[in-house]
Amino acid sequence: MAAVSAPARHVLTLLALLPLMLVHLWLAAEVAPLMLVHLWLAAEVAPLELWALLGAPAQSFAFLQLQLSALPRLSMALLTGAALGLSGSLLQQITQNRLVSPMTIGASSGAWLGLVLATLLLPAFAAEQGQWAALGGALVAVGLVLLIAGRSGIGGLPLVLGGMAMNLLLGALAAGLVLINNQYTQGLFVWGAGDLAQIDWHWVQWLWPKLLLALPVLVLAPRPLSLLQLGGDAAQARGLALWPVMLALFLAALWLCSVSITAVGLIGFIGLLTPNLARLLGARSARDELLYSTLLGALLLLATDVLALLANHIGGQLVPSGAAAALIGAPVLLWMARRHLAAEDPHGLQLPAGAERFGWRSALWVAAFALLALTLALGLARGLDGWRLQWPSALVWSLRWPRVLTAASAGAGLAISGLLLQRLLRNPLASPDILGLSAGATLAVMVALMLFGGGVLGAVAPLAAFLGSLAVLIVLMLLGRRHRYSPALMALLGISLGALLNAALQFVLAKGSGDSFALLGWLAGSTYRSTPAQALWLSAGVLLLGGLAAVFQRALTLIGIGDGVAASRGLDVPRLRLALLVLVALLCALVTSLLGPVAFLGLLAPHIAGLLGARRVLPQLLLAAALGAVLMLLADWAGRTLIFPLQIPVGIVASVLCGAYFVYLLIRGRLA
């Protein structure tokens, strides 16, 4: 082939750079108008009055609002967006995983929990050096996620699913601490939603020196990141000290994320979206992606905050910036998942293998465990004079049996729904919370609360929860059919709905009304509000729906093998799957409407039943229901006694206990 002349090479180079030059022009054309719109909205003045304010007397209220609120908020949006964009680009290029961000690998929730712990245990340290608490929490969370995923899983599904599990676990821990210590942590409600509002230049002056680390990253990181694109072995062959460089870049990314969270709170999706947008707009080299992710992060968060300010003006209510980012980012995450994930991810999370069959020894252990849980729930309690083990008096019995029956019934219902989902979708990671059914039910209940008020919550909650769960199931079926119900797609739908739930929750809590705190208590999952009638209705509903599930044991066995096998045996697979999914929605709605969302239990109970050797549908269903009931009884007893005379909602205790055990199983499965 003939050599290309020098002028021709210059022309080809200019043509290759043309998309990036156009991006430069587009960014310049977009940022300036957005900045003006942002200032107009934040300063609450007409556009033509903005320039006049710059020459207004210093004692003017409008001048002070512009100087001490609008301009600092604009600066904070640009700084935080740039930091989160750069952090996301670093993480995605290190892992070569386009679905990685501080949010999806647990760094954000770890930083949040670290700050909450520091606020409670060392308030002076948290006020002065909170970024180190946030960084420590992020490092622990990401370290556990990397341990779960393993080296081979960093570029695939295990890293994202491990991060999702860590988000659920650490989020439950942080929520429990905030609820228990609400007199000290009331300010964390709005901070947890990601709020860019400022009252002076303090946080801007605090943040910008800590973001100077971005400059050496932009200069030094492109070469090792370019080598990493060739693969770890090829990078080491070219002289790259692989693990020290990756560790340094990981720490830099987590530092940028941690200081941003310390300054403004939790803002998700920016670090996930901006690197993907940069590549979509033509960034191909490592340097271009880092640079454009930084610029696009600033632009995207600025645009998001403009939308939040518009909503504030139109609705008259505080809309946190993080909530607005979640409302925009969650649908985009779904779109990205459908583009980047195949039907079957080559890597999967591995749980340790269990027994081959459920023997009499295992049955004795389960029976003893159940008897112990029932004894603790009914007879062992703390009082002013210490621990006492005795049968409750008539008054205590009348107060205790409804919550005991509610906890046991809810645990059994969640376990049955988790088993049905795992069999129907042939997905070992399926459960109401992982797939977003609990989030859909909760969102629907919150909408009902905003429309009708807290006074009718008990009346409309079951119907709203059922409609929310059913809507999520319909979306699951529509999105999942094309990808054969891919575990990755199903899990990312759960992540997206969880983010939407958090956005709606923070919006409701930011209103600060009595209904807001009533909703927060319901979201924590409490049994102490259960009346005898509610407990009986819940237990009857779970027994009825669980009996219906047992009737379909043959269909569940055949569908679990494959749709073709089930159809060859004469089953109408689409109708059966639809009917059983409606059954799942009913179970989820029944439990969620009374108890609130509970994470991990619907995932863990069927797995423990399988580990004990229950492989066939009917034994696994019965054993999972029994284990779910026992786990919820223990969680209710622990929540009632651990911090006597105060109580921890059973939903938080169950989520933490089951989540910690699930993470342990994942790590054990990886190390085995």
Side-chain angles (χ1 to χ4, degrees), residues 223-245:
R223 181 181 179 275
L225 289 176
S226 299
L227 292 176
L228 282 174
Q229 293 177 2
L230 304 175
D233 294 336
Q236 286 180 311
R238 285 164 174 78
L240 179 66
L242 183 63
W243 293 110
V245 170

Side-chain angles (χ1 to χ4, degrees), residues 478-565:
L478 292 176
L479 292 178
R481 179 179 298 176
R482 176 181 171 186
H483 294 279
R484 291 183 288 168
Y485 308 107
S486 159
L489 185 64
M490 301 291 111
L492 286 171
L493 179 62
I495 293 176
S496 302
L497 287 170
L500 286 173
L501 167 64
N502 185 64
L505 170 63
Q506 300 299 344
F507 171 73
V508 175
L509 289 178
K511 297 168 66 174
S513 64
D515 291 340
S516 302
F517 293 97
L519 177 63
L520 187 64
W522 173 79
L523 283 169
S526 302
T527 57
Y528 54 76
R529 298 188 311 270
S530 299
T531 64
Q534 289 174 328
L536 290 173
W537 275 110
L538 177 61
S539 60
V542 170
L543 282 173
L544 175 62
L545 297 174
L548 287 174
V551 170
F552 288 98
Q553 59 173 307
R554 177 176 177 271
L556 286 168
T557 301
L558 294 175
I559 292 175
I561 298 173
D563 288 359
V565 174

